[in-house]
Amino acid sequence: MGMKERLQELHDEAVKKIQESDALDKLNDVRVAYLGKKGQLTAVLKGMKDVPPEERPQVGQLVNDTRAKIEAVLEETKKQLEEAARELQLKAEVIDVTLPAKKSVIGHRHPNTIALEEVERIFIGMGYEVVEGPEVEYDEYNFTKLNIPADHPAKDEQDTFYINKEIVLRTQTSPVQARVMEQGKLPIRMIAPGRVFRSDEVDATHSPSFHQIEGLVIDKNITFADLKGTLEEFAKELFGPETKTKFRPHHFPFTEPSAEVDVSCFKCGGKGCRFCKGSGWIEILGCGMVHPHVLEMCGIDPEEYTGFAFGVGLERIALLKYEIDDMRLLYENDIRFLKQF
């Protein structure tokens, strides 16, 4: 069989198989079989060495013409198959515009988030800055720089999650205050919200992971009167203009003097009810004047600067503000519960 007849036979075979292809993957198989690196037309080209030199130009032209014809048929068939596939897809994906639309399920802000934004709004309005810090903290910042000695009960492993001897999951957001004081940029007016960790059993009022908001003011001539005025304004903004505050002596290692703060019950106006357990008062936070030793450890001269600090549990604010009686409800993410806020 001559080269011309062989090429014509390959052309006819290829065209027949192309026409029999009913899918794009089958069409590609035909392309590879005839035009690929190991295809039949390529095999013909490799046999050119056996063709007399004077006939090679003519045979080469025949091979190229055969390739071009097969490629043209392949391309045309490919277009037809793609159009057919597109038609099937359009029929399968037809949209019935008369069907009712799918409802989008939109999330809801968490009570903690709402309470935090409210607290931040109040303190930003008083000129405070919101500062965040690491949840995995050095023992030095979590305890030592806050005037908590090595033998303090808070450092017991029953109360604190230790990564190793030097690293803990922070038990409060006070380490953020120490880090800011170390920077030496005075005066300071800041709040530090964030998640903290303590080794507590889960119940209606406790969790091993919860949130705190701690505040710090450092400046010249800061007194306990400034602390009382700030927290009184905060309580009125958060719980209502009729809210009263009461300070009770307490002890915190990093403040001296220290106090716990109660607010008049916003449910009964201080008369006594089930919500305030008949006392007319509700405890909300702890506070005090920054201990001079804490200032010294952070590089601040206690003879020139004074300050106050306070800390409040974010969950406690949310529980009180929205009259929730079980802290666990805040973490169960039940949409029926969250929709109430």
Side-chain angles (χ1 to χ4, degrees), residues 90-99:
L90 289 172
K91 288 179 181 178
E93 296 180 355
V94 65
I95 299 173
D96 186 351
V97 295
T98 64
L99 289 173

Side-chain angles (χ1 to χ4, degrees), residues 85-276:
R86 194 176 298 113
E87 286 293 327
L88 287 173
Q89 184 180 8
L90 289 172
K91 288 179 181 178
E93 296 180 355
V94 65
I95 299 173
D96 186 351
V97 295
T98 64
L99 289 173
K102 293 181 179 179
K103 290 184 178 181
S104 297
V105 180
I106 300 174
H108 198 283
R109 288 199 306 162
H110 195 276
N112 274 1
T113 304
I114 300 171
L116 176 58
E117 290 176 353
E118 178 70 6
V119 173
E120 288 181 346
R121 181 192 65 79
I122 293 169
F123 281 104
I124 288 173
M126 289 193 281
Y128 285 61
E129 179 184 6
V130 179
V131 183
E132 295 183 349
E135 294 179 357
V136 181
E137 186 58 275
Y138 287 107
D139 179 281
E140 179 183 5
Y141 285 98
N142 196 77
F143 294 118
T144 306
K145 285 187 177 291
L146 300 176
N147 207 30
I148 299 175
D151 58 352
H152 194 279
K155 298 193 71 173
D156 194 304
E157 289 186 3
Q158 300 302 314
D159 296 315
T160 301
F161 293 107
Y162 274 84
I163 306 300
N164 55 42
K165 289 184 179 180
E166 297 180 355
I167 300 175
V168 301
L169 298 184
R170 66 179 181 186
T171 60
Q172 55 211 355
T173 55
S174 302
V176 182
Q177 300 176 5
R179 287 178 175 274
V180 172
M181 283 191 284
E182 268 191 348
Q183 295 173 8
K185 296 178 181 178
L186 301 170
I188 298 170
R189 284 173 176 79
M190 58 161 281
I191 59 170
R195 185 166 56 167
V196 299
F197 308 87
R198 295 181 188 176
S199 186
D200 287 333
E201 294 291 332
V202 177
D203 59 29
T205 56
H206 295 87
S207 170
S209 175
F210 57 101
H211 300 78
Q212 277 192 340
I213 307 169
E214 300 204 14
L216 175 71
V217 171
I218 303 290
D219 204 346
K220 295 179 180 179
N221 303 317
I222 297 295
T223 68
F224 203 93
D226 298 307
L227 170 60
K228 291 186 70 175
T230 299
L231 295 182
E232 184 175 344
E233 185 64 25
F234 164 65
K236 288 182 177 180
E237 284 287 329
L238 189 63
F239 298 114
E242 304 301 320
T243 304
K244 298 177 182 178
T245 56
K246 178 173 69 174
F247 288 72
R248 291 179 288 105
H250 196 68
H251 169 71
F252 298 112
F254 34 86
T255 54
E256 180 61 39
S258 306
E260 285 192 334
V261 181
D262 300 337
V263 295
S264 55
C265 180
F266 42 86
K267 189 76 172 175
C268 64
K271 296 177 182 178
C273 65
R274 182 188 64 83
F275 194 67
C276 61

